[in-house]
Amino acid sequence: MLNTLRGQMTLTILAVLLLTVALIGCFSYWYITHTFENYISRQGRERSESIVVDLENRYETASGGWSADFLHMLGMYSLYDGYILRVTDVGGKVIWDAENHDMALCGQIMGEISARMGDKSGGFEKHNYKIMYDGQLVGAASITYYGPFFYTENDYLFIKTLNGATIVISLLSVVLAFIVGNLLARRISGPVTSTANAAGQIAHGNYNVAFENTSNIQELKEMVSAVTELVISLREQENLRKRLTSDVAHELRTPLAAVASHLEAMIDGVWEPTPDRLESCREEVVRIASLVKDLQQLARIDSENLKLDKTGTDLRELTQSVARTFEAVSVKKDLSVSVDGTSSVVRADKDRLSQVITNLISNAIKYTPEHGSISATITDTENAGIIKICDNGIGIAPEELPFIFERFYRTDKSRDRKTGGAGVGLTIAKSIVEAHGGTIDVSSKLGAGSQFVVTLPKV
Ligand code: ADP
């Protein structure tokens, strides 16, 4: 539990919050106590001064002293508040002394205060004041109280409640920190754990894992969608691999079976090995060889991740030179093959691009009946070079158009014909064009002809 992401996060959040709570707790405790102590010690000074002021105000000139009742009342009130009063007249004669008056009470009050103050350093101190009346010295007062400050019963209760509240708040904060930390950690670790589980399943070949992107944290969302894309692409690759193997097997089985049955018939003497029959076998073998060549090319394109050796390439020159290689075939079929348009220079891998043009012109020638015409037109725009290859051949049915760039796809019409290839020429062309950052589009009308447009960016 502790070495999981959730555990670690909970602990970290808890530690940070604990530290914060402790720091805030200590600081507020120190600050409040300090301020309160200052206040209390000021109070103490003011209280003892106010006793002296009371004495000065209640001085009776007629009798040259204070009424006994007043002194008793002031002395006892002060004593209950923790101030032990002793008043002497000008001659130094004691006229009121709390300790003499009620020694036991004094001792009890002093004991209570000392107990309340506990381990706070301090002790009872005597403070002497002169009592003045009309600018004349009329006596002296000595007030003994616990210094530098002391708590009264109420003060003590207040500070005790405050400390209690601080401890309760700190404890509550710790509990809250644990809950919040745990929830937060769960929110973050949830998607990470489910993605890790999904990745584990993918590693075991289960590409059908489905996991939801429930987090609203940007980075986690990106991680989950990256893994989702990875799954999709792996699933596609896996499907492609399976389909490719079965397609290849299927493509090879038919011509091999034909050759095998022809040869068997000839070996068994059922068929005479006439030049025509041998020629038909040779054609099948040639078909297999060309299929293997196509497959090799496809494999190379797939495995190399198409490394391009780009140089400035004039599309018109390249198309013309490719078209020339088809002269013999086009003459044989009485096809007119023309290359027109302007010159357009793009940065491209010459060999790969010539493969694209070869595949397109070869298709046009294959799928155009005798006496037809094929034209290649080059257009130059500011950002791209465009090669358009048109023929007036058999055309492609609209429902088949979306599939012609797929591996091993051949239209029904071309399947009937002996001229058709394995159905990978356009796949190869598309891969090469896309590796250049370009596009390849087709438009066609059944029975009227087809038009392939290759657009290549200049940079
Ligand atoms: P193939 O080697 O069979 O020509 P491609 O991948 O080059 O394979 O083409 C796929 C299919 O698209 C062909 O089998 C054919 O049915 C169709 N096709 C391609 N080019 C043309 C065209 N110019 N005219 C008619 N059909 C075409």
Side-chain angles (χ1 to χ4, degrees):
M1 167 66 189
L2 281 187
N3 56 4
T4 60
L5 178 64
R6 191 168 149 197
Q8 294 277 319
M9 284 194 69
T10 311
L11 272 187
T12 313
I13 294 169
L14 192 65
V16 170
L17 287 179
L18 268 182
L19 200 72
T20 317
V21 167
L23 278 177
I24 292 175
C26 288
F27 177 73
S28 56
Y29 175 77
W30 170 82
Y31 185 75
I32 291 171
T33 319
H34 182 74
T35 318
F36 191 65
E37 285 174 2
N38 278 345
Y39 161 77
I40 296 286
S41 91
R42 207 169 51 243
Q43 278 267 93
R45 267 195 321 274
E46 284 172 7
R47 179 76 176 88
S48 66
E49 280 163 16
S50 91
I51 297 173
V52 179
V53 172
D54 275 353
L55 281 168
E56 287 175 342
N57 288 344
R58 298 295 291 268
Y59 181 70
E60 292 169 7
T61 32
S63 62
W66 291 271
S67 85
D69 279 353
F70 166 70
L71 279 179
H72 183 261
M73 190 188 72
L74 183 68
M76 290 313 280
Y77 269 131
S78 305
L79 179 59
Y80 284 121
D81 285 350
Y83 298 83
I84 298 150
L85 178 64
R86 185 166 184 268
V87 184
T88 50
D89 64 9
V90 218
K93 191 178 138 220
V94 177
I95 47 177
W96 166 266
D97 186 348
E99 278 178 281
N100 282 349
H101 185 76
D102 194 337
M103 182 90 127
L105 186 62
C106 277
Q108 183 199 333
I109 287 175
M110 285 167 87
E112 279 173 8
I113 291 175
S114 299
R116 227 181 280 139
M117 295 315 288
D119 53 1
K120 288 243 185 299
S121 61
F124 281 91
E125 293 164 7
K126 190 185 269 181
H127 302 263
N128 295 315
Y129 302 90
K130 286 177 184 153
I131 308 171
M132 309 293 286
Y133 187 79
D134 259 356
Q136 295 271 315
L137 183 70
V138 292
S142 103
I143 304 170
T144 305
Y145 61 90
Y146 197 96
F149 64 89
F150 71 93
Y151 297 146
T152 62
E153 184 102 34
N154 283 341
D155 295 339
Y156 182 69
L157 271 180
F158 171 74
I159 204 86
K160 215 170 133 183
T161 317
L162 196 74
N163 287 344
T166 313
I167 292 171
V168 170
I169 289 173
S170 302
L171 285 177
L172 278 180
S173 307
V174 170
V175 173
L176 204 70
F178 184 77
I179 296 170
V180 170
N182 207 296
L183 285 179
L184 200 69
R186 188 186 302 196
R187 267 186 61 197
I188 294 176
S189 68
V192 175
T193 314
S194 67
T195 311
N197 287 342
Q201 294 206 35
I202 296 163
H204 286 100
N206 175 13
Y207 301 118
N208 289 322
V209 283
F211 53 103
E212 280 173 62
N213 197 348
T214 46
S215 175
N216 51 8
I217 301 168
Q218 186 62 25
E219 288 81 353
L220 292 180
K221 261 191 196 166
E222 280 168 15
M223 182 188 74
V224 173
S225 62
V227 176
T228 312
E229 272 168 34
L230 181 76
V231 176
I232 294 171
S233 118
L234 281 172
R235 202 185 292 153
E236 273 172 12
Q237 288 292 323
E238 177 69 4
N239 288 343
L240 193 69
R241 192 177 60 79
K242 284 184 186 151
R243 222 185 63 211
L244 200 64
T245 319
S246 75
D247 283 351
V248 170
H250 177 83
E251 291 297 319
L252 287 173
R253 196 169 48 230
T254 322
L256 279 176
V259 177
S261 67
H262 288 186
L263 289 175
E264 256 171 39
M266 285 185 254
I267 291 165
D268 293 348
V270 182
W271 268 8
E272 279 286 304
T274 61
D276 276 358
R277 285 174 178 154
L278 287 173
E279 176 57 24
S280 132
C281 284
R282 196 189 69 89
E283 271 172 18
E284 289 300 338
V285 171
V286 167
R287 262 172 62 77
I288 297 168
S290 103
L291 172 67
V292 170
K293 201 175 125 216
D294 282 349
L295 283 174
Q296 250 177 346
Q297 225 166 37
L298 203 61
R300 209 177 312 135
I301 282 174
D302 280 346
S303 67
E304 275 178 8
N305 241 341
L306 264 199
K307 284 186 212 87
L308 300 173
D309 180 14
K310 286 186 183 178
T311 49
T313 308
D314 185 340
L315 296 181
R316 189 158 177 259
E317 262 176 32
L318 191 67
T319 313
Q320 272 169 340
S321 86
V322 172
R324 269 197 293 277
T325 63
F326 287 98
E327 258 167 24
V329 206
S330 51
V331 166
K332 208 166 147 193
K333 271 182 95 175
D334 189 23
L335 298 170
S336 85
V337 179
S338 65
V339 178
D340 313 294
T342 52
S343 99
S344 173
V345 179
V346 297
R347 282 191 54 76
D349 184 319
K350 227 178 229 158
D351 289 344
R352 304 272 191 209
L353 205 55
S354 97
Q355 175 77 59
V356 174
I357 303 168
T358 305
N359 289 3
L360 293 178
I361 296 184
S362 133
N363 276 351
I365 289 175
K366 268 193 287 186
Y367 303 114
T368 303
E370 286 180 359
H371 320 299
S373 70
I374 291 146
S375 71
T377 317
I378 317 300
T379 323
D380 185 57
T381 72
E382 198 187 332
N383 304 317
I386 300 164
I387 312 169
K388 199 186 287 176
I389 294 174
C390 301
D391 64 64
N392 59 356
I394 59 170
I396 305 161
E399 66 275 11
E400 293 194 289
L401 267 186
F403 308 108
I404 58 165
F405 292 101
E406 283 184 12
R407 281 155 211 257
F408 300 110
Y409 190 84
R410 288 180 300 173
T411 64
D412 284 343
K413 282 226 175 283
S414 72
R415 271 175 206 281
D416 299 341
R417 301 157 62 94
K418 277 215 163 271
T419 44
V424 292
L426 286 180
T427 315
I428 292 171
K430 192 171 185 221
S431 302
I432 296 174
V433 171
E434 284 179 352
H436 280 83
T439 54
I440 180 163
D441 299 298
V442 60
S443 54
S444 184
K445 205 168 165 209
L446 205 56
S450 313
Q451 171 179 297
F452 286 83
V453 181
V454 174
T455 308
L456 293 158
K458 286 199 169 160
V459 279

